[in-house]
Amino acid sequence: MRHEIDTIPVNDAFDAGDECPFCYLERKAEQSTIRSIAGNSASYMEPDARAETDKFGFCPVHMKKLYDYGNALGNGLILQTHYASLLKSFRAEMESFVMPPKKSLFGSKAPTGEPYWEKLEKQAGECLICKRIDYHMERYYTTFFHMIRDEEFRHKVEHSKGFCLRHFPQLLRNAEEKLPNAQREWFYPAVFRVTEENLTRVKEDLDWFVAKFDYRNASADWKNSRDAVSRAMQKLEGIYPADPPYKKD
């Protein structure tokens, strides 16, 4: 298979032997994004980058990961201008805020326009890191469906550890738009089979992990079950619960 700039990350993900190659790609994209935002040569010093962090902010998960990354000054600068932007918006809303009418036995007239609490909820639901990860993942799915034209890569897919149950439906959703017609008869049986086989494998490892706590199995070999709990969690949710916090070098 011919390797190009776009295909190398996807190929590496299938070579890594991970429980889900798209988990592997997403973690790489997340770490790269955190590093680009808060690393040593980070973009947070650039006005256009700061405008993005001011606009989108971060979800609770990624705000914690930025904190764990360890760049206190970088986080302080990002939050400083983000707070300034939020306060400006908040004060404008406060000045124009109209109190909802009192309720009556006959009901109250619904206020016109978007309620402020809906605007706040939308704002709280935005995240610059999530947005950038989504952009990268969309490209990876596109590249994957380009690569399955190659027989060697299809072999890698068939002999992979399948996909987690968070990325598998995303793969199927992307297939509706991106799957080459010539690969339809191969794709669906192949990805369902490899995913079912590996869900079964993880379930068996988890069963043995639990069974090892029975005194009758105390002297038995752990086989491949020592990390079964973390792998079982990844298969369900596409996470790496055993990973240490990603930190600045």
Side-chain angles (χ1 to χ4, degrees):
M1 180 174 61
R2 181 180 176 183
H3 297 302
E4 301 169 359
I5 292 176
D6 288 344
T7 66
I8 289 172
V10 177
N11 193 62
D12 288 347
F14 278 87
D15 284 342
D18 199 280
E19 288 293 347
C20 172
F22 289 102
C23 289
Y24 179 94
L25 287 164
E26 187 174 78
R27 179 170 60 178
K28 289 284 188 182
E30 180 182 66
Q31 292 176 351
S32 173
T33 303
I34 291 172
R35 190 167 61 250
S36 73
I37 289 172
N40 290 330
S41 301
S43 61
Y44 66 81
M45 297 302 294
E46 301 296 330
D48 57 341
R50 196 75 66 83
E52 274 198 294
T53 59
D54 290 348
K55 178 181 178 181
F56 294 104
F58 305 98
C59 67
V61 170
H62 285 125
M63 191 166 284
K64 177 62 166 66
K65 289 190 176 185
L66 282 172
Y67 180 85
D68 289 339
Y69 187 67
N71 187 347
L73 176 59
N75 282 323
L77 290 168
I78 290 168
L79 290 170
Q80 184 181 46
T81 55
H82 186 46
Y83 262 77
S85 176
L86 287 174
L87 274 172
K88 181 180 178 181
S89 173
F90 188 88
R91 286 167 179 158
E93 291 287 347
M94 185 172 65
E95 290 176 3
S96 61
F97 183 77
V98 178
M99 187 181 298
K102 292 182 179 179
K103 294 181 179 179
S104 70
L105 293 174
F106 304 102
S108 59
K109 184 178 179 181
T112 58
E114 182 182 32
Y116 183 48
W117 58 266
E118 286 189 2
K119 294 180 183 179
L120 284 174
E121 285 186 338
K122 286 180 182 178
Q123 189 176 57
E126 292 183 325
C127 174
L128 178 59
I129 295 176
C130 289
K131 181 173 178 285
R132 291 190 181 177
I133 290 171
D134 288 345
Y135 168 78
H136 287 296
M137 293 304 293
E138 183 68 22
R139 290 179 57 203
Y140 291 141
Y141 285 118
T142 300
T143 302
F144 170 86
F145 285 106
H146 169 75
M147 292 173 70
I148 63 171
R149 293 177 170 88
D150 182 88
E151 184 178 356
E152 180 184 343
F153 183 70
R154 292 198 300 274
H155 180 80
K156 286 187 179 185
V157 174
E158 291 171 341
H159 292 83
S160 71
K161 292 181 178 178
F163 308 94
C164 74
L165 294 184
R166 181 164 65 85
H167 288 115
F168 187 58
Q170 294 178 21
L171 184 67
L172 297 178
R173 175 177 56 81
N174 275 272
E176 292 192 16
E177 175 189 350
K178 301 177 174 72
L179 179 64
N181 286 331
Q183 300 303 330
R184 291 178 64 84
E185 297 301 319
W186 168 82
F187 173 77
Y188 290 107
V191 298
F192 271 100
R193 178 191 57 76
V194 72
T195 300
E196 189 276 334
E197 286 177 356
N198 285 281
L199 284 169
T200 301
R201 171 182 55 82
V202 172
K203 170 63 165 56
E204 290 171 351
D205 290 343
L206 192 62
D207 289 343
W208 184 241
F209 175 86
V210 173
K212 268 291 292 173
F213 286 83
D214 187 320
Y215 74 94
R216 291 169 294 185
N217 297 321
S219 61
D221 187 81
W222 281 89
K223 301 178 185 178
N224 196 38
S225 70
R226 287 188 183 275
D227 63 345
V229 170
S230 62
R231 289 188 291 108
M233 289 180 176
Q234 183 186 354
K235 277 294 189 192
L236 290 176
E237 299 295 339
I239 60 173
Y240 293 91
D243 273 8
Y246 180 58
K247 291 184 176 292
K248 181 183 174 190
D249 295 333

